[in-house]
Amino acid sequence: MARLHDWFIETMINTLREKNFDLENTEKLNDIVSTVVGNSAPEASNVILKSLKANAGEMLQEHFLIRQEFEARLLRRWAKPLNMLEMLIVISLESAEMLLSNDDFVTSQEHSFLFQVLANIHARAIQISYEILCLLRGGYPDGALARWRTLYELAIVALFLDKHGNEVAERYFGYQAIENYREMLEYQLHCEQLGYEPLEPDEISEVEKQRKNAIDKYGPEFNKDYGWAIAALRKKKVIFKDLEDEVELDHMRPYYKLACNFVHSGPKGAYFKMGLIDNHKANELMVSGASNYGLADAGQNTCLSLTQITNCLLSLQPTFDSIVTMKIMTMLIKEICDSFVQVQRDIEEEEKSKIRKFRIKNKSI
């Protein structure tokens, strides 16, 4: 794009010189430039776009190689904690597969909402953990922590359901009727503007019927936010923090609030970056890509939350194998967390050393 811009400016200046135009006449020059740009912008855009498409392969290959080299350097430094995190994910996945392959156990849980819900939460937790791993290996700690936020919420729900049992799990499962109704209202309100067809009357009627049945079964409070948890907490209004307090994970709230910055559009998310060693310089620096720093928080938090969710599922059948698996995962947590933190501290110490050497060099000058 820069080369195209330079070519455009150079061509315009040469043309003006050929016409013996006085290039020192700034005011008149600005008028001509504005006119030329305005008249030629549509055609120039087509020419530039065509050129970009023609050279896209070369351009993308160049950036692909740059990214490959960066990720290789990142992996050399972070290999131990990242590989151990992947190992933890695989252990969690295979332990669930082993549990679900037990036909006798699955059959015995046919009418257990707790089993069905925890199995689905665990499956989603595995998927998110792999997403986090991809983001960490790519050098995107902000995105990884944002995805951990969802994993943390799943861990809170899993622990809450594990504590309160099948009846609350049934309410959680049935709460889909409330969410479907709310989503239907939004869809109907905006579908035409989005270019979609409105729902048919019978489809609307079915969604309304399911919502009514759920409210009739669980009471009017069920229609509120977190209505599935209201009866268990014996509150008229429930917020997410109430769930955190109930499962005694409120001490993780600082991490959760930090992760929220990378999900929402507040100013801190625009200025504070996990990939910056010194966020006091955030006003001077902008991170628009990958970084080899800041992976520790998302990495260690992921192994904590995934282990909590896995333990909730495996505890439904406390066999020798499941107990050993839970113990192994718990033992791995400290080693993985320590490894993530150590690599991050090594990077910080290297940067401090560079600054000290720079200051000593300047003093000698």
Side-chain angles (χ1 to χ4, degrees), residues 8-9 12 30-44:
F8 178 76
I9 296 297
M12 186 164 57
N30 288 337
D31 291 340
I32 292 178
V33 169
S34 297
T35 301
V36 170
V37 170
N39 292 337
S40 62
E43 185 177 347

Side-chain angles (χ1 to χ4, degrees), residues 162-297:
D162 185 56
K163 179 176 181 178
H164 289 280
N166 195 63
E167 182 181 343
V168 178
E170 181 181 354
R171 289 171 176 263
Y172 180 82
F173 180 83
Y175 196 72
Q176 294 176 80
I178 304 300
E179 293 181 332
N180 289 339
Y181 176 77
R182 292 176 178 176
E183 290 175 7
M184 181 200 71
L185 294 180
E186 291 296 331
Y187 177 84
Q188 287 294 96
L189 184 63
H190 301 291
C191 62
E192 291 185 9
Q193 188 176 356
L194 293 170
Y196 296 114
E197 293 293 327
L199 295 174
E200 297 294 333
D202 58 334
E203 293 177 299
I204 297 173
S205 179
E206 180 60 27
V207 173
E208 291 175 338
K209 178 183 175 182
Q210 291 178 6
R211 171 179 172 269
K212 182 179 183 303
N213 289 343
I215 294 173
D216 289 344
K217 183 175 182 179
Y218 299 117
E221 301 293 312
F222 193 67
N223 192 48
K224 296 181 179 180
D225 291 342
Y226 294 99
W228 57 270
I230 285 177
L233 292 174
R234 297 179 182 178
K235 288 188 170 186
K236 291 185 177 181
K237 180 181 179 182
V238 171
I239 58 175
F240 182 70
K241 188 176 184 304
D242 295 323
L243 305 185
E244 285 179 305
D245 294 340
E246 180 71 4
V247 299
E248 298 179 357
L249 273 184
D250 50 303
H251 61 281
M252 292 293 291
R253 191 153 188 83
Y255 281 115
Y256 180 71
K257 294 296 290 182
L258 176 62
C260 288
N261 291 308
F262 307 119
V263 175
H264 303 305
S265 58
K268 185 167 183 179
Y271 288 93
F272 182 88
K273 299 295 179 183
M274 302 299 295
L276 282 178
I277 292 181
D278 186 0
N279 267 283
H280 294 297
K281 295 181 179 180
N283 290 335
E284 305 169 19
L285 301 171
M286 289 184 288
V287 179
S288 59
S291 171
N292 75 331
Y293 176 79
L295 280 60
D297 287 344

Side-chain angles (χ1 to χ4, degrees), residues 37-208:
V37 170
N39 292 337
S40 62
E43 185 177 347
S45 298
N46 289 327
V47 172
I48 292 172
L49 178 58
K50 186 176 180 179
S51 175
L52 285 171
K53 287 180 177 179
N55 296 292
E58 180 183 347
M59 177 185 69
L60 296 177
Q61 179 65 17
E62 179 184 349
H63 283 268
F64 173 74
L65 293 174
I66 292 171
R67 187 168 65 251
Q68 269 196 324
E69 291 172 1
F70 167 80
E71 290 178 4
R73 293 194 302 271
L74 182 146
L75 185 58
R76 283 197 296 270
R77 185 183 286 272
W78 291 92
K80 182 180 178 181
L82 289 175
N83 288 340
M84 290 185 70
L85 175 58
E86 184 172 11
M87 181 175 70
L88 187 80
I89 297 171
V90 172
I91 291 172
S92 177
L93 173 61
E94 292 186 349
S95 67
E97 290 175 341
M98 186 180 299
L99 180 68
L100 297 173
S101 67
N102 186 334
D103 293 335
D104 292 336
F105 171 72
V106 173
T107 301
S108 70
Q109 298 293 317
E110 184 179 356
H111 302 294
S112 171
F113 284 98
L114 183 60
F115 167 69
Q116 294 175 31
V117 171
L118 289 179
N120 279 278
I121 286 177
H122 180 267
R124 188 180 177 198
I126 291 291
Q127 184 181 44
I128 293 172
S129 297
Y130 274 122
E131 291 171 1
I132 293 170
L133 185 63
C134 286
L135 288 165
L136 291 176
R137 283 180 170 159
Y140 297 101
D142 293 357
L145 197 63
R147 292 307 290 137
W148 167 78
R149 177 183 183 266
T150 302
L151 190 67
Y152 173 71
E153 291 176 348
L154 289 175
I156 295 294
V157 171
L159 290 165
F160 187 91
L161 297 177
D162 185 56
K163 179 176 181 178
H164 289 280
N166 195 63
E167 182 181 343
V168 178
E170 181 181 354
R171 289 171 176 263
Y172 180 82
F173 180 83
Y175 196 72
Q176 294 176 80
I178 304 300
E179 293 181 332
N180 289 339
Y181 176 77
R182 292 176 178 176
E183 290 175 7
M184 181 200 71
L185 294 180
E186 291 296 331
Y187 177 84
Q188 287 294 96
L189 184 63
H190 301 291
C191 62
E192 291 185 9
Q193 188 176 356
L194 293 170
Y196 296 114
E197 293 293 327
L199 295 174
E200 297 294 333
D202 58 334
E203 293 177 299
I204 297 173
S205 179
E206 180 60 27
V207 173
E208 291 175 338

